[in-house]
Each structure stands twice: as C-alpha cells, then as structure tokens.
Amino acid sequence: AFTGDLIYGAGKLWEFYSLQKRFPGMRGDYWGFGGAVEELIASLDRVLERKPEMMVPSHGAVIENPTAAIGELKANLRAAMDNYLTTAAWRIYFKGIFPDRRAPLLKPLAEVSYPRWIRNIASTTKAIVADDGSAFLSDCGFQVAINEIDKLLAAGEIRSVDGIWITHYHDDHTQMVNVAKRKYGAKVHVERHLVDILENPLAYQMPCLFPESIRVDRPMEHGESIAWKGFRLTAYHFPGQTLYHDGLLVERDGVKAFFTGDSFANFGIDDYCSQNRCFLGPEVGYQKCFKLLLEVKADLLVAAHWGPVPISQEYLRRALDLFTEREKVFAKLFPWENPNFGLDPAWIRCYPYRQKVLPGGMVPVEARVYNHAARPKQARLEMRAPAGWTSPPAVTATIAPRTEGRIRFQLRAPASPERRRQVLGLAATVEGVRLGEFAEAIVDFLAA
C-alpha cells in the first residue's frame, strides 16, 4: 500500500498542521487543530482492511508490519488529542461537539469584576481610564469601538485617548487602530516581537492579517515598564494564541490586571490554529505564558473577547503540567527531535511573503529557517523561479539552536513578465533530508 503522508513510520506522522480542519458542527476550520485526526484514523483502518503486507509512505522507510505501526500511531494520536482537548477553549464556544467523558475541561472559575479604572468599550476594545479622564486603549478592532469612544468623548466621560496597546496582529483587534491614531492622536505601544508584523503585515503569511501597515510609536522590551498617569504598565512577550502576541500588566491601587488578548477563556486555552504558530516547550508558547502569570501573580486577566477572567495559581500549575506532558506525547508522533518541527507550518518561510516589484528589477527574498532543536542544523536553501528570472545559486548555512536563521537572496525579475503575479519557490534540504519546495513568496508586478 502506497500511503502518502497518512503515516511516516510506526506510531509517527511527518507533520500535524495538515490536519487543521473543522470538527463536525464547527462553522470554520480556524478552530480545528487536529480536526482531521479521526478521518486520518478512518483512512488508516481502510488501508488495514486490504491486509497489506507492507506500506510505502511518502516520507519514511518501508513499513513491514502495517498493523503494529498503525496501532501505535492511533494510540499516539488519541493520547495527543486527549491532552489537547482538556484545555481547548473552542469547546466553550462550540458546546457539545466533543464528549466531556473523553477529555473533561477544567471547570470555569467564579466570575470577577473589573476594577473601577478598566472600561469595556466594545467587542475586543478595552480602556484603562485615568483620574483626569485620559484613556489608554487595549486593541481597537471595529467601527463600533470608534463610535463608542466618540460618544464617551462627547459626553465628557473620557477626555482623550493617549495610547493604544495592541495585543496581537489579528484584524478584529487592529483594523481601526490607524483610525484611532489619526482621530485622537493616540500613540501605539507594543512589545518588540509585534513591531514588524504590524508595520509590514504583507511580509507574513499568517491568519487574520489586517493588510494596512500600523506604525508603532513606542516599542517596548520584554519586562519593560512605563508610568502613565498613576498606572504602571509592563510589557511582556506572551506567545499564547499566536507567536506574535504580547501581554500587558497594569498595576494601580494594589490591583494587578493582566491584558491577555485572545490567549485565555474561562477556563480554556486558545491554541486552536496551527497557522498561528503555537510552540511547545519550557520557554516558548503557553508554557512561557503560564510561568509568567505564576510569577507576576495578577489578580485578574482581561481577555479581549471575554472581559474580566478570574485567575487561579492552581489552574495555572495544572495547565503547565498538561503542557509539559503535551510536549512529550506530541514528541512521540514525529521523527523530528523537537515536536515543533511537526507542528509549525512556517519553520521554513520566505520574507517578505508578498511584495510589489518593477519588471526587470532586483527582488530581495530572505529564507528564514527556525531551528527548534537544541543543536545547530545545516540547511541548504535554493530559490526557484519561473522562466525569465535570474536566480542565485543555492546557499548552505548552519542555523544556531532555537533561533531563526536568515539567508538573503537577490533575484532579478524578467523585463517582460508573462503574468502580473508570479510565485517564487523556496526549496530546502535540512540535515540531508530533502524537503522540496517548502515555502513560497508572492511577487506582484507594477506597471513599468
């Protein structure tokens, strides 16, 4: 049986992000991390019904004991999904899709209220309000937020909008930020990991991108604090729902409120989209977030879609234990030495993802390789272009552990391109493993 990527080897898959698909009853694939796992298992069972003597996967070696190999893979998949579903926040939004008896969610915590100086504006937009009526927004995603701010200004309930904190790049948190900047003179503050994706969104291939550039007025370092009108604001890298996500600790009158964007519900974790690049490991992803919250000891969380969310040190420790175990169960699924190679669809990518060029001009593209491993890796990268392009030779580079290496290429575009949009491929070989054209860059030609 020639099985493609249904299986890599005994108990293993080549990658997991292709299994992003809505669970039955969902309205979209965005929430469906592992949603195609049961379909994958059903496909493997259909293979076994034909009683193959061996299986030939697209990746991996010939499998000579199909029954044992598939049995081990099914067990590993179900262990991984049972762990994941125990904290999956979409089960709070989409009730009844997944049976609680298999992976019970943590119970909701008792409700809490905002302190007097936090105000819900509309949808994802919240405000910190100073004694003089000045407001500091967290996100600004919809026109209804602008309308509400205008009403509050007209009524004298707030006097100005001084700043905007952006929790992450998703359009329902950012699409009215530039309107607020122009209208109120507000200055944008973010932790430095968000600066480039906000200022150069088309350079990224990520879900829910707002395509308009947002200039950051005040980049902040992880752990950096500023004083604002009686408040202490501390910025953190907070890679929960997505890699490009930050958190803001606001302190006033002995109360600590932590603005978590979309990373928490009550009580669930919003790591349900592979393309958001949610990593597993002790110093990355949600494990980093849990440890930070245990350290800062906030009194409540401010979730963009939920409002005030209670926090429990016990729940954080339980979630941290679940994620520590999750790293182990997902590691069993892949031939890679770190599970993030099988979970991260953009560990090899092109930067910028999209750009506009003149015919005949030079086109810069960076190959970016994120080495999730604890040791250096050698990568051979090659840009492949359509007819008429001039491409540079392949480059071999050593990528340091747990960092993103950058290899710069310069290509020359054709003087008379046949199409207004063309695709450049990035082929990669890592540690001798040929990955083919793993990533691409999109080029739109301007009129000459």
Side-chain angles (χ1 to χ4, degrees):
F2 289 82
T3 52
D5 278 340
L6 287 179
I7 188 169
Y8 171 89
K12 298 190 183 300
L13 285 177
W14 182 240
E15 47 89 357
F16 196 84
Y17 40 82
S18 295
L19 301 177
Q20 182 79 26
K21 185 177 182 179
R22 71 191 71 184
F23 288 80
M26 273 185 181
R27 67 174 182 267
D29 296 327
Y30 178 77
W31 296 272
F33 177 85
V37 163
E38 292 303 322
E39 293 181 11
L40 172 65
I41 289 173
S43 296
L44 291 168
D45 286 341
R46 283 197 293 275
V47 171
L48 287 182
E49 287 173 4
R50 304 302 294 268
K51 297 180 172 55
E53 296 174 355
M54 63 180 65
M55 293 189 300
V56 185
S58 292
H59 296 95
V62 171
I63 298 168
E64 296 184 346
N65 189 337
T67 300
I70 288 176
E72 188 176 342
L73 176 55
K74 289 163 65 173
N76 288 346
L77 283 167
R78 289 193 164 130
M81 290 305 295
D82 284 354
N83 180 293
Y84 166 75
L85 288 162
T86 303
T87 60
W90 65 257
R91 295 176 64 193
I92 301 171
Y93 320 142
F94 303 104
K95 294 185 182 298
I97 293 178
F98 198 86
D100 285 344
R101 65 182 180 274
R102 180 166 150 191
L105 278 165
L106 296 176
K107 293 180 180 179
L109 295 162
E111 292 184 2
V112 293
S113 301
Y114 284 129
R116 62 177 179 83
W117 35 266
I118 295 180
R119 183 164 190 156
N120 181 39
I121 300 298
S123 186
T124 59
T125 303
K126 310 293 183 277
I128 308 158
V129 182
D131 291 341
D132 67 356
S134 304
F136 202 109
L137 302 181
S138 174
D139 296 333
C140 194
F142 295 102
Q143 180 64 47
V144 64
I146 299 295
N147 296 344
E148 183 63 21
I149 292 167
D150 286 345
K151 290 178 185 177
L152 295 172
L153 287 166
E157 294 189 43
I158 62 174
R159 299 175 60 117
S160 65
V161 180
D162 291 4
I164 305 171
W165 174 261
I166 300 177
T167 62
H168 60 298
Y169 62 90
H170 286 169
D171 53 1
D172 57 331
H173 298 256
T174 58
Q175 61 185 343
M176 300 305 290
V177 168
N178 281 335
V179 173
K181 281 170 64 85
R182 292 190 295 266
K183 196 166 190 176
Y184 312 124
K187 303 298 184 183
V188 168
H189 297 60
V190 300
E191 198 273 340
R192 65 177 178 84
H193 283 82
L194 267 70
V195 173
D196 192 59
I197 196 170
L198 293 172
E199 295 191 337
N200 303 293
L202 297 184
Y204 293 77
Q205 184 187 18
M206 298 291 287
C208 309
L209 273 172
F210 179 56
E212 186 177 302
S213 174
I214 298 172
R215 182 177 178 275
V216 174
D217 302 289
R218 180 65 164 83
M220 297 176 67
E221 296 299 315
H222 178 77
E224 180 182 356
S225 298
I226 60 172
W228 177 76
K229 298 189 175 180
F231 295 88
R232 178 181 173 88
L233 311 180
T234 306
Y236 295 100
H237 183 217
F238 200 72
Q241 187 194 48
T242 171
L243 176 62
Y244 305 103
H245 199 297
D246 56 21
L248 183 69
L249 180 66
V250 181
E251 299 175 79
R252 165 86 187 263
D253 300 333
V255 176
K256 296 180 178 181
F258 198 102
F259 286 71
T260 62
D262 280 355
S263 290
F264 282 86
N266 185 12
F267 186 85
I269 307 302
D270 287 50
D271 56 344
Y272 38 58
C273 181
S274 295
Q275 285 68 33
N276 278 333
R277 305 187 70 191
C278 303
F279 298 166
L280 291 175
E283 303 301 329
V284 295
Y286 268 104
Q287 284 153 279
K288 179 176 181 176
C289 298
F290 298 143
K291 290 178 181 178
L292 176 61
L293 290 176
L294 285 166
E295 178 185 329
V296 303
K297 295 181 171 60
D299 298 295
L300 76 155
L301 308 180
V302 181
H305 287 281
W306 285 82
V309 171
I311 188 168
S312 159
Q313 297 288 100
E314 177 195 354
Y315 271 35
L316 289 174
R317 286 190 289 269
R318 288 174 65 184
L320 182 56
D321 289 343
L322 279 167
F323 270 73
T324 301
E325 179 63 21
R326 185 174 303 180
E327 184 183 5
K328 296 175 183 175
V329 295
F330 272 96
K332 293 179 180 179
L333 270 176
F334 307 118
W336 308 97
E337 60 197 277
N338 184 294
N340 290 315
F341 288 112
L343 292 168
D344 180 10
W347 70 276
I348 300 174
R349 63 190 177 106
C350 289
Y351 181 96
Y353 179 66
R354 290 180 58 183
Q355 58 182 308
K356 295 180 179 181
V357 306
L358 286 167
M362 297 303 295
V363 179
V365 179
E366 279 186 358
R368 296 194 174 182
V369 181
Y370 198 111
N371 179 9
H372 291 286
R375 63 178 181 86
K377 282 188 175 292
Q378 189 176 79
R380 183 181 186 273
L381 290 311
E382 178 188 1
M383 295 301 305
R384 295 179 178 173
W389 286 75
T390 302
S391 300
V395 173
T396 299
T398 299
I399 313 300
R402 305 223 166 99
T403 60
E404 186 173 64
R406 304 180 180 187
I407 298 91
R408 188 174 178 85
F409 293 95
Q410 287 274 4
L411 298 88
R412 183 174 293 280
S416 301
E418 294 182 358
R419 298 178 178 85
R420 293 186 63 185
R421 171 172 291 177
Q422 294 192 356
V423 180
L424 305 176
L426 172 61
T429 300
V430 178
E431 298 284 279
V433 179
R434 296 178 62 184
L435 304 176
E437 290 188 16
F438 194 97
E440 77 279 352
I442 307 299
V443 175
D444 292 317
F445 285 99
L446 298 166

